[in-house]
Amino acid sequence: MPLNNEREYSDLGLSWADRMLVWAVPPLLGAVVGWFLPVIADWATGLAWVPFQGPLELIASIQGPWVVIVTAVVGLLAGTVLSHLAIKESLAVRLSDKEITLRIHEAEQTFRREEVSAAFMDGKQLVLLGNEGEELYREKPEAKRETVAEAFKRHGYSWRDRNPFADDYVRWVADSPELTPSMNALFLAREKAIKNEDREDAADLRRELSKLGITVRDDGKRQYWRQHGQKP
């Protein structure tokens, strides 16, 4: 985790060496697998239990020295796409004494110091709380828990060793009487998004519930909730 003394900020995310590995390893592995794919396909077509026999037979039937070059290039391109997705889906955090900037999926959010009342790790996710106890942000960082905690403390943020509202959550069940019909409808829609592994939709619905004063916490596919409006 580099600390820039001149500009007084800390970066939490993939290091330069990590990025080089991410950009190099998947394309290299893809090219190697692609180079040997015709041989692998020819071998696998003799094994009835191996799936995708149709595509494998097609690859094995193509002859010529150019085949391995084409499959190697395809493997290289596939690995490059995987590298790009890995970089895109990694969380980059820049901390200073005045603000926190977080970037993931090409989307960037910045919170001023006075907007953040507390920060902590909930499992593998970094959570930022607002002044009314609402969740401002929740995402998995690349850095280790100890590194994240050290950086937040260094810049003077209120770091908590656990969720200060951990005991306030209630498990959501359909048609919870404590919630309004519109809130229950959002929870139901979010339950479907979680089952379909639609993270983007689940995150959008979490934000909609937050606008209504409800903070959501997931435990596997189970949803827990609490009302915000109190300081941590």
Side-chain angles (χ1 to χ4, degrees), residues 133-135 169 209 213-217 224-228:
E134 76 277 19
E135 285 192 5
Y169 284 89
L209 283 162
I214 299 296
T215 293
V216 183
R217 179 181 182 274
Y224 292 81
W225 65 274
R226 65 174 175 83
Q227 289 183 321
H228 51 244

Side-chain angles (χ1 to χ4, degrees), residues 30 35 38 62 71 84 108 112-113 122-123 132 173 209:
W35 182 269
I62 302 175
T71 53
H84 173 72
E108 184 174 287
R112 299 188 307 276
R113 180 193 181 90
D122 184 13
E132 296 299 322
V173 294
L209 283 162

Side-chain angles (χ1 to χ4, degrees), residues 69-189:
I69 297 176
V70 172
T71 53
V73 170
V74 171
L76 176 68
L77 294 175
T80 302
V81 171
L82 288 176
S83 295
H84 173 72
L85 292 175
I87 295 293
K88 182 180 177 181
E89 294 179 2
S90 66
L91 176 65
V93 183
R94 173 160 288 188
L95 278 171
S96 74
D97 293 350
K98 295 182 178 180
E99 63 183 20
I100 306 170
T101 300
L102 308 103
R103 186 176 67 257
I104 190 171
H105 302 301
E106 298 180 351
E108 184 174 287
Q109 287 184 263
T110 298
F111 300 99
R112 299 188 307 276
R113 180 193 181 90
E114 57 269 23
E115 293 180 290
V116 181
S117 62
F120 61 93
M121 292 292 292
D122 184 13
K124 295 182 178 181
Q125 294 183 317
L126 169 65
V127 180
L128 305 181
L129 295 181
N131 293 312
E132 296 299 322
E134 76 277 19
E135 285 192 5
L136 299 175
Y137 199 85
R138 173 185 284 267
E139 192 59 68
K140 178 184 176 183
E142 298 299 326
K144 294 181 179 179
R145 176 189 294 261
E146 297 78 10
T147 304
V148 175
E150 179 186 353
F152 272 82
K153 291 176 182 177
R154 181 188 300 120
H155 289 284
Y157 291 88
S158 176
W159 180 263
R160 305 296 181 90
D161 293 329
R162 65 188 294 269
N163 186 342
F165 297 111
D167 299 328
D168 297 338
Y169 284 89
V170 178
R171 183 173 178 179
W172 176 78
V173 294
D175 299 321
S176 292
E178 301 91 341
L179 301 172
T180 66
S182 59
M183 291 175 181
N184 277 308
L186 289 171
F187 269 107
L188 182 60

Side-chain angles (χ1 to χ4, degrees), residues 16-47:
W16 179 86
D18 292 334
R19 287 178 175 271
M20 290 301 98
L21 284 174
V22 171
W23 279 117
V25 173
L28 179 60
L29 288 177
V32 171
V33 172
W35 182 269
F36 289 103
L37 184 59
V39 176
I40 296 172
D42 186 57
W43 167 78
T45 53
L47 303 173

